[in-house]
Amino acid sequence: MKHKIWVAAALSLATVSAYAQVAVSDAWARGTVPGQTATGVFMTLQSRDATTLVGVSTPAAATAEVHEMKLEGTLMKMRALPNGLPLPANQPVQLKPGSYHIMLNDLKAQLKKGDTVPVTLRFESADHKKTEQQVQVQVRDLTAPAPAAGGAMSAMPGMSHGSHSQ
């Protein structure tokens, strides 16, 4: 009897894990200076099945959002992705400076090189199953490129921080 229960529990765990399995590699955050209120988090995500990164949270910031940064004409624009970031099956999706990234806003403390920041990624599969996955993100040096300079989102010439309702 114990063996049957253990096998059933193992099969249930395997089924749940199949939905949550998104490979995360090279996760890092750009370090900050005292008083800086925002920074970016970057990584590569690859899902076995098509899914969508629909949200993110961390105790290190008041808000965290999935963002896109792209050139529109001669203006670099950054905006939150209200419907999330699609992850096609078996295709790596890079979150990197100047492109898709996670934006941490209203940081609660300075992020220093060598720190580790817990980040919870929320996914929704094509069949609407929701899962969460926690990632430990390493903080890199201040000189690592990031989507915005300092705490001001529009500090870079030619850059506009779009409305979150776009």
Side-chain angles (χ1 to χ4, degrees):
M1 182 74 168
K2 284 184 185 180
H3 179 69
K4 287 182 182 179
I5 293 171
W6 182 85
V7 170
L11 288 174
S12 294
L13 182 58
T15 302
V16 170
S17 296
Y19 289 112
Q21 291 304 315
V22 174
V24 178
S25 58
D26 198 28
W28 64 280
R30 182 174 179 266
T32 62
V33 296
Q36 183 174 341
T37 60
T39 195
V41 174
F42 314 97
M43 63 189 69
T44 300
L45 301 172
Q46 185 167 339
S47 179
R48 190 186 77 185
D49 300 310
T51 192
T52 302
L53 174 62
V54 293
V56 61
S57 61
T58 178
T63 62
E65 300 172 322
V66 181
H67 274 213
E68 172 184 42
M69 192 169 178
K70 68 180 180 178
L71 190 61
E72 291 184 7
T74 59
L75 190 63
M76 185 62 85
K77 289 194 172 186
M78 180 167 36
R79 67 181 181 98
L81 295 174
N83 298 320
L85 177 63
L87 304 176
N90 299 310
Q91 293 182 23
V93 175
Q94 286 190 317
L95 282 66
K96 60 186 180 181
S99 184
Y100 298 118
H101 60 278
I102 294 168
M103 199 75 213
L104 305 184
N105 296 304
D106 297 322
L107 292 169
K108 296 179 181 176
Q110 179 182 359
L111 300 184
K112 299 176 187 170
K113 180 181 178 181
D115 288 349
T116 301
V117 178
V119 174
T120 301
L121 305 173
R122 289 189 305 280
F123 300 97
E124 185 172 336
S125 65
D127 60 355
H128 305 290
K129 293 201 184 324
K130 295 179 181 183
T131 59
E132 290 187 347
Q133 188 168 332
Q134 187 162 41
V135 177
Q136 297 300 317
V137 176
Q138 293 295 311
V139 177
R140 291 190 182 168
D141 196 304
L142 287 169
T143 59
M153 295 311 303
S154 57
M156 294 175 67
M159 187 175 138
S160 167
H161 189 237
S163 165
H164 295 296
S165 62
Q166 291 180 354

